[in-house]
């Protein structure tokens, strides 16, 4: 049934069901959770059932936690739902890039960048990914036995290196400040979400000052990348395609702003999620030595001591299963927020026009109705030989619908190569006493990183 017919039914007097949820008297506690325990807030919402209504100050959040709900919101009626809370605030730094734009602008941006992720390009990109992974392994091996290593810092360097070589045809090693700048951007986005935009950006708070410095740094990096490419404009990588597309803008200022927005978004989305996924995977492997041993055996059997190629992806099925299970427990895109453009009905519940709506992969991937022992790390869930029994939208680590992550295949290839190459040569163990805590920002990061001791095999 279309949204129009559903709305017409409501006007004829059909009852409008409202999702259950905490009373308005719980607002202060909910605000505290929104600020300091966002995963706890989502987990608590899931205790009300597959749908919940959460009133926080002047906003009311509609939480949906069923595959059918995700399908309705993200795919079947996705045009009715624009990007929402969190990403709206991130637009101050990211602008109207692929992550935050809407409508015809988003469709044009997607059309321009999509060819950079085609299979024929991935075959060529595989060698660059393997070479960057080899640099990571060599760097970690050189520090074996020498004390703790900041693994997340190393993984961020790796993913920026891969991004630069595969999508921008650029060396990003000279722009190591990008990682820190994006941390400030995410901190600001979450701060504005919690304060609901009531604190002006010009207020001289330390967080605001850090954000303004980060924004200037991102502007500088983007300017350098574009200037360097001006000397060699021809190419079929993402940056070349972006530069060519904005030349068609009648107003040069609009073109420059659009190029800046799209490139900043590409820099963030192109490295953050893969680094987080690898960090969570190495953390889980340290706690499950039996899985690690099976991974190591597969890598040795398939790769031996050589570099992987694109064709080797088919020979690393267990490695893929491990990554998929890590993304089930710790999805890089942990929350998908939307704003309803017109009223709708989802799972039998009325959603008013203008409502803040959210689907949380973190809780959906732990739904006991679709996942047996959902808190257990079990890569066998994704064995391709097993019959598929779960609904398609029970597992959405890359989002779903038209806005499904455009770089998912490149990210999976990168994670697979890195995981296989690291485990066949090294053992990474978390420093004793370090507490691994999820940090839900624009992606699901590891708070305080992941310090590890490195042992060469």
């Amino acid at each position: 049934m279309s949204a129009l017919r559903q709305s017409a039914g409501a006007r004829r007097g059909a009852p409008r069901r409202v999702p259950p949820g905490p009373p308005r008297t719980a607002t202060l506690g909910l605000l505290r959770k929104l600020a300091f325990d966002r995963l706890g807030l989502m987990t608590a919402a899931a205790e009300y059932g597959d749908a919940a209504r959460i009133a926080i100050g002047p906003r009311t959040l509609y939480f949906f936690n069923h595959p059918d709900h995700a399908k309705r919101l993200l795919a079947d009626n996705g045009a009715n739902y624009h990007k929402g809370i969190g990403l709206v605030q991130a637009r101050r730094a990211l602008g109207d890039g692929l992550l935050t734009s809407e409508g015809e602008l988003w469709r044009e941006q997607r059309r321009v960048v999509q060819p950079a992720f085609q299979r024929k390009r991935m075959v060529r990109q595989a060698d660059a990914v393997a070479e960057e992974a080899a640099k990571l392994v060599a760097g970690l091996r050189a520090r074996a036995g020498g004390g703790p290593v900041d693994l997340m810092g190393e993984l961020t360097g790796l993913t920026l290196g891969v991004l630069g070589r595969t999508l921008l045809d650029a060396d990003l090693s000279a722009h190591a400040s990008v990682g820190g700048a994006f941390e400030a951007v995410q901190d600001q986005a979450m701060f504005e979400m919690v304060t609901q935009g009531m604190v002006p950006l010009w207020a001289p708070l330390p967080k605001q000052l850090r954000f303004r410095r980060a924004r200037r740094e991102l502007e500088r990096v983007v300017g350098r990348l574009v200037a360097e490419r001006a000397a060699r404009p021809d190419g079929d990588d993402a940056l070349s395609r972006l530069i060519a597309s904005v030349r068609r803008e009648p107003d040069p200022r609009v073109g420059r702003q659009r190029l800046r927005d799209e490139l900043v978004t590409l820099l963030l989305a192109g490295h953050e999620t893969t680094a987080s996924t690898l960090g969570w995977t190495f953390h889980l492997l340290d706690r499950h030595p039996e899985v690690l041993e099976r991974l190591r055996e597969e890598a040795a059997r398939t790769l031996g001591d050589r570099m992987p190629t694109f064709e080797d992806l088919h020979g690393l099925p267990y490695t893929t299963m491990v990554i998929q299970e890590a993304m089930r427990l710790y999805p890089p895109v942990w929350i998908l927020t939307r704003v309803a453009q017109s009223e709708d009905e989802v799972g039998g519940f009325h959603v008013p026009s203008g409502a803040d709506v959210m689907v949380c992969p973190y809780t959906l991937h732990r739904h006991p109705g679709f996942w047996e022992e959902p808190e257990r790390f079990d890569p066998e869930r994704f064995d391709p030989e097993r019959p598929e029994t779960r609904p398609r939208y029970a597992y959405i680590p890359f989002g779903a619908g038209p806005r499904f992550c455009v770089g998912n295949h490149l990210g999976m290839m990168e994670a697979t190569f890195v995981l296989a190459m690291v485990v066949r040569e090294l053992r990474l163990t978390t420093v004793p006493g370090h507490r691994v805590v999820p940090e839900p920002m624009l992606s699901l990061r590891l708070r305080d990183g992941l310090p590890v001791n490195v042992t060469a095999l």
Side-chain angles (χ1 to χ4, degrees):
M1 180 183 291
S2 69
L4 182 62
R5 290 173 61 195
Q6 289 168 345
S7 299
R11 287 193 297 270
R12 287 195 299 269
R16 290 181 166 183
R17 294 177 62 206
V18 176
R24 281 201 170 271
T25 53
T27 293
L28 287 179
L30 294 172
L31 278 172
R32 193 158 40 245
K33 277 188 174 292
L34 183 64
F36 302 110
D37 186 16
R38 287 181 283 278
L39 293 181
L41 177 62
M42 296 296 99
T43 301
E47 293 176 0
Y48 284 92
D50 290 342
R53 185 173 177 269
I54 309 167
I56 302 180
R59 305 184 88 109
T60 298
L61 310 180
Y62 287 75
F63 168 87
F64 290 100
N65 196 48
H66 189 283
D68 292 345
H69 301 165
K71 184 173 184 290
R72 173 70 183 175
L73 292 164
L74 304 175
D76 294 348
N77 199 27
N80 184 52
Y81 294 93
H82 289 187
K83 288 301 180 84
I85 187 170
L87 286 174
V88 169
Q89 288 77 10
R91 185 176 283 128
R92 284 197 184 184
L94 301 180
D96 281 315
L98 194 61
L99 188 65
T100 56
S101 60
E102 298 289 351
E104 189 56 40
L105 174 60
W106 172 82
R107 283 186 285 274
E108 169 64 11
Q109 291 170 336
R110 182 87 174 201
R111 184 192 66 77
V112 168
V113 78
Q114 182 86 50
F117 297 92
Q118 289 176 343
R119 177 186 171 88
K120 63 181 181 181
R121 278 191 55 83
M122 282 187 58
V123 173
R124 300 198 302 268
Q125 293 165 342
D127 289 344
V129 174
E131 289 166 8
E132 291 297 317
K135 290 180 187 178
L136 171 72
V137 173
L140 290 173
R141 177 179 283 277
R143 301 176 67 178
V149 174
D150 173 17
L151 184 60
M152 291 312 302
E154 299 295 321
L155 292 173
T156 297
L158 160 84
T159 55
L160 281 173
V162 170
L163 169 66
R165 293 187 61 182
T166 59
L167 298 182
L168 307 178
D169 192 17
D171 181 4
L172 292 181
S173 61
H175 304 296
S177 59
V178 166
F182 278 126
E183 284 190 19
V185 167
Q186 296 195 61
D187 287 345
Q188 181 69 19
M190 293 300 105
F191 174 74
E192 293 194 22
M193 181 179 74
V194 171
T195 60
Q196 303 190 34
M198 298 177 66
V199 179
L201 189 59
W202 51 259
L205 301 175
K207 190 182 296 292
Q208 311 269 65
L209 295 173
R210 181 172 175 241
F211 167 70
R212 293 205 290 268
R213 287 194 300 270
R215 191 165 59 178
R216 288 194 297 270
E217 177 60 17
L218 291 175
E219 297 276 3
R220 184 191 69 80
V221 170
V222 166
R224 284 283 301 275
L225 290 172
V226 173
E228 290 168 1
R229 178 51 57 84
R232 45 187 182 88
D234 296 329
D236 66 346
D237 57 89
L239 180 53
S240 296
R241 296 184 62 83
L242 289 173
I243 291 174
S245 73
V246 300
R247 286 181 182 145
R248 297 191 290 269
E249 287 284 354
D251 186 339
R253 289 175 299 177
V254 173
R256 286 194 296 271
Q257 185 62 43
R258 178 180 156 192
L259 179 59
R260 175 260 180 211
D261 293 350
E262 295 185 30
L263 191 47
V264 166
T265 298
L266 189 62
L267 285 168
L268 171 62
H271 88 278
E272 173 86 6
T273 54
T274 305
S276 295
T277 293
L278 282 166
W280 285 114
T281 304
F282 283 116
H283 163 64
L284 289 165
L285 290 176
D286 185 39
R287 300 174 59 187
H288 297 86
E290 72 286 356
V291 175
L292 175 61
E293 187 56 35
R294 184 171 168 185
L295 261 185
R296 187 170 289 132
E297 290 172 358
E298 180 178 80
R301 181 173 62 251
T302 301
L303 303 179
D305 58 359
R306 63 176 174 81
M307 297 272 278
T309 65
F310 183 80
E311 290 71 23
D312 287 319
L313 290 173
H314 300 293
L316 297 167
Y318 190 68
T319 307
T320 301
M321 291 159 55
V322 169
I323 296 167
Q324 289 174 314
E325 175 68 347
M327 288 193 297
R328 182 188 70 83
L329 287 170
Y330 300 103
V333 182
W334 68 278
I335 189 76
L336 298 163
T337 62
R338 299 290 189 267
V339 175
Q341 301 305 294
S342 60
E343 65 177 348
D344 192 13
E345 185 175 295
V346 179
F349 293 104
H350 177 247
V351 177
S353 175
D356 287 294
V357 176
M358 53 184 58
V359 174
C360 180
Y362 181 85
T363 56
L364 185 59
H365 292 181
R366 287 171 161 78
H367 195 304
F370 307 103
W371 304 95
E372 185 178 351
E373 295 183 74
E375 298 295 333
R376 181 166 59 92
F377 177 60
D378 179 15
E380 295 293 331
R381 301 178 199 271
F382 294 95
D383 185 345
E385 300 299 321
R386 283 189 178 183
E388 183 60 65
T389 58
R390 289 182 298 273
R392 158 69 182 84
Y393 287 81
Y395 181 68
I396 50 172
F398 294 107
R403 301 195 75 134
F404 187 81
C405 175
V406 68
N408 67 305
H409 293 302
L410 177 59
M412 281 299 298
M413 179 172 71
E414 182 179 355
T416 302
F417 280 8
V418 170
L419 195 57
M421 293 174 69
V422 169
V423 301
R424 73 175 174 179
E425 296 189 35
L426 305 169
R427 175 67 189 267
L428 308 180
T429 54
T430 306
V431 170
H434 178 77
R435 184 166 171 258
V436 176
V437 179
E439 184 178 31
M441 305 295 278
L442 294 181
S443 66
L444 187 57
R445 306 189 308 193
L446 293 86
R447 181 178 298 166
D448 301 322
L450 186 64
V452 299
N453 292 315
V454 182
T455 304
L457 300 178

